[in-house]
Amino acid sequence: MSSIALKGDIVFTPNKDAFKTYKDHYLVVEDGKVVGIFKELKEEYKNYPVKEYTDKLIIPGFVDIHLHAPQYPNLGLGLDKELIPWLNTYTFPEEAKYNDLEYAEKVYRRLIYDLWRKGTTSSIVYSSIHKEGTKLLMDLFIDSNLRAYVGKVNMDRNTIPELSEDTEKSLEDTEEIIKEYNDKSSLVKPIITPRFVPSCTEKLMKGLGDLAIRYDIPVQSHLSENTDEVEWVKSLHPEFKDYASVYNAYNLFGQTKTIMAHCIYNTENELDLMEKNQVYAAHCPHSNYNLSSGIMPVRKFLDKGIPVGLGSDVSGGHSLSMPSVMVAAIQASKMKWLETNKELKPLTSSEAFFLATKGGGSFFGKVGSFEEGYALDALVIDDSDLGHMDGLSLEDRLQRFIYIGDDRNIVERYVDGKRVEKPM
Ligand code: XAN
């Protein structure tokens, strides 16, 4: 059994309302899982190797619950467009390139390196429609020792010819990946990924819902991101009450664990369904600003008990940095607060941190916190160059790192109790 103790200034959010802080304490880990936090090392742990991180912050690794791996080369491109023209002009042509495995490997290696560099220890990722490219991405994640769900994208309508799949083949490829990868790694798992309703025929959605149930595989997709998109779904499916009801009819809305990205223009019925089925909302504020989509009313989701995490949504979002996404989420919530005559309260810093750690991490299980039994997914932060430190609480230091720090301050990453080396 591998056991270890990390010693330093420990900060995490067991709930969204407050940080828990421990100055100069030991975080004791057995078999990759947290046993407890102690001021002095108890007798029974005295022979555990101690990693000394004096005056450094030890925090949970970041969790990004929505990003598109093959869009990585488009980072920062085309962001003067709205969603649908952006997809057609920039995104689909880029995603069509991933039948070229040499190209795919170059992009995916760089992406995984950047996730590691920026302290994202868990991510929930869209691949492209390509089966072999998706397997390659999963294998690279397995090699990296980072935690991930990876989904082969399914699309059989309303796209460019290179991305329009034969429905049966799309289902067969998805099933092959599920069978091959469901038990291949404890850290990297498949997730069923209908791109969004406009990209998927009812036959495809039904087939994917059947696979989700048969193999008990989670689902990810997009929901109510943009007003033109919502109208489009209405015109494609006038027989359904709303956008979410289409997914729900095909067992793609919480029948197995589900994440829906964006969720800006939801009806009350959709919110009720999300709450009832415990469907996660992936809040992606950078993307929502960049594509002029709107501001998600995140407070409404939290008040209703809908699970929420944060997503970089690369490349609708322009940065993989989760601290940057946290800042954007706080800023967006302040604009929503003003827009609603101060009804929907802004996010606090502990809430934003919770969303980027335990909030999204709960999709993986006991991930994103340092409570007993949680996986030790952690970052060690050297914030000594970020300014005057005297008299600052651990909470203040963490807040400052989130606003003005960057990946140069991250000196170690751990996943499941093991130090994660720089990916090759
Ligand atoms: N809807 C989407 N929204 C987004 O932000 N990025 C995408 O790639 C996408 N596809 C459908």
Side-chain angles (χ1 to χ4, degrees):
M1 193 171 67
S2 60
S3 305
I4 190 173
L6 313 188
K7 187 169 187 231
D9 298 339
I10 300 162
V11 190
F12 61 104
T13 42
N15 64 66
K16 68 181 174 51
D17 298 324
F19 288 103
K20 223 171 175 133
T21 62
Y22 297 85
K23 174 84 190 141
D24 206 22
H25 272 60
Y26 294 91
L27 178 53
V28 176
V29 179
E30 287 176 353
D31 212 14
K33 310 293 179 261
V34 175
V35 173
I37 298 171
F38 308 99
K39 182 68 191 155
E40 303 296 336
L41 213 46
K42 290 187 191 169
E43 204 49 46
E44 63 211 270
Y45 308 132
K46 285 240 159 96
N47 61 344
Y48 291 4
V50 176
K51 293 281 192 181
E52 296 275 357
Y53 297 120
T54 308
D55 291 333
K56 296 186 176 54
L57 296 169
I58 302 174
I59 63 173
F62 298 129
V63 182
D64 183 345
I65 69 165
H66 183 70
L67 73 139
H68 296 261
Q71 295 176 19
Y72 198 54
N74 275 354
L75 219 57
L77 300 184
L79 298 175
D80 50 355
K81 296 199 180 302
E82 284 192 58
L83 175 66
I84 309 296
W86 172 79
L87 286 172
N88 289 321
T89 316
Y90 285 88
T91 310
F92 292 160
E94 178 58 32
E95 288 193 20
K97 296 177 185 170
Y98 289 77
N99 54 356
D100 177 345
L101 291 179
E102 219 172 287
Y103 181 73
E105 182 169 351
K106 212 163 62 181
V107 173
Y108 291 160
R109 279 192 188 280
R110 176 71 204 189
L111 169 80
I112 289 171
Y113 164 67
D114 271 350
L115 287 167
W116 173 87
R117 191 159 67 104
K118 291 180 170 19
T120 300
T121 48
S122 297
S123 43
I124 306 181
V125 183
Y126 287 55
S127 172
S128 62
I129 61 159
H130 307 96
K131 181 179 72 180
E132 294 306 328
T134 303
K135 289 185 182 184
L136 172 69
L137 180 58
M138 296 185 84
D139 288 332
L140 292 172
F141 265 113
I142 292 171
D143 290 347
S144 74
N145 293 315
L146 295 171
R147 201 183 285 283
Y149 278 105
V150 179
K152 177 206 128 29
V153 167
N154 303 96
M155 327 169 57
D156 66 347
R157 65 172 172 176
N158 294 319
T159 184
I160 57 175
E162 303 93 295
L163 290 182
S164 196
E165 298 179 284
D166 171 75
T167 309
E168 291 300 338
K169 174 89 168 74
S170 179
L171 293 168
E172 277 167 29
D173 286 355
T174 305
E175 187 167 13
E176 182 179 318
I177 291 170
I178 291 169
K179 283 181 168 164
E180 197 172 323
Y181 282 85
N182 208 22
D183 299 317
K184 189 168 181 177
S185 152
S186 61
L187 295 179
V188 179
K189 299 280 181 193
I191 181 165
I192 288 176
T193 308
R195 180 174 211 116
F196 67 159
V197 166
S199 299
C200 301
T201 60
E202 295 185 51
K203 185 174 172 203
L204 180 57
M205 286 190 276
K206 177 168 185 333
L208 292 172
D210 289 350
L211 286 176
I213 303 271
R214 187 170 338 134
Y215 293 98
D216 192 20
I217 301 291
V219 170
Q220 62 179 347
S221 194
H222 297 87
L223 179 68
S224 302
E225 172 179 4
N226 166 290
T227 50
D228 292 343
E229 172 211 14
V230 173
E231 286 307 309
W232 194 12
V233 171
K234 234 181 240 169
S235 70
L236 289 168
H237 297 282
E239 70 281 18
F240 285 101
K241 205 172 188 173
D242 47 38
Y243 197 157
S245 299
V246 186
Y247 291 124
N248 195 43
Y250 298 110
N251 290 329
L252 296 168
F253 207 72
Q255 289 73 16
T256 60
K257 229 169 19 171
T258 299
I259 297 186
M260 289 286 150
H262 303 300
C263 302
I264 299 173
Y265 299 105
N266 293 118
T267 63
E268 288 305 317
N269 175 62
E270 287 178 313
L271 294 177
D272 289 345
L273 207 52
M274 289 184 83
E275 190 269 324
K276 178 164 159 266
N277 293 0
Q278 286 296 287
V279 170
Y280 282 65
H283 178 28
C284 308
H286 275 318
S287 170
N288 300 157
Y289 282 154
N290 289 335
L291 299 175
S292 311
S293 299
I295 304 176
M296 186 227 199
V298 66
R299 176 65 58 196
K300 235 176 160 172
F301 286 72
L302 296 176
D303 286 350
K304 217 173 157 62
I306 297 169
V308 181
L310 297 183
S312 66
D313 192 25
V314 160
S315 71
H318 59 279
S319 169
L320 275 181
S321 158
M322 291 312 289
S324 168
V325 174
M326 280 180 237
V327 172
I330 293 170
Q331 291 171 333
S333 70
K334 289 174 176 170
M335 295 304 106
K336 185 54 85 180
W337 177 59
L338 293 177
E339 199 185 275
T340 59
N341 281 325
K342 303 195 173 178
E343 187 198 325
L344 297 181
K345 287 207 183 71
L347 290 176
T348 63
S349 46
S350 73
E351 287 176 323
F353 189 79
F354 174 87
L355 296 182
T357 53
K358 187 177 175 181
S362 61
F363 196 81
F364 292 82
K366 288 191 166 183
V367 169
S369 181
F370 292 148
E371 293 153 84
E372 187 184 343
Y374 272 69
L376 191 271
D377 290 10
L379 306 177
V380 180
I381 310 292
D382 180 351
D383 60 333
S384 58
D385 70 339
L386 292 182
H388 189 67
M389 213 124 51
D390 290 354
L392 280 193
S393 64
L394 300 193
E395 182 177 330
D396 283 345
R397 284 171 54 198
L398 177 57
Q399 220 170 112
R400 188 161 62 180
F401 163 69
I402 291 167
Y403 273 87
I404 67 167
D406 62 39
D407 51 271
R408 288 168 295 188
N409 300 107
I410 304 175
V411 294
E412 293 285 12
R413 296 103 179 128
Y414 287 85
V415 170
D416 226 21
K418 292 193 198 76
R419 214 178 134 256
V420 185
E421 307 272 353
K422 178 179 166 180
M424 301 292 279

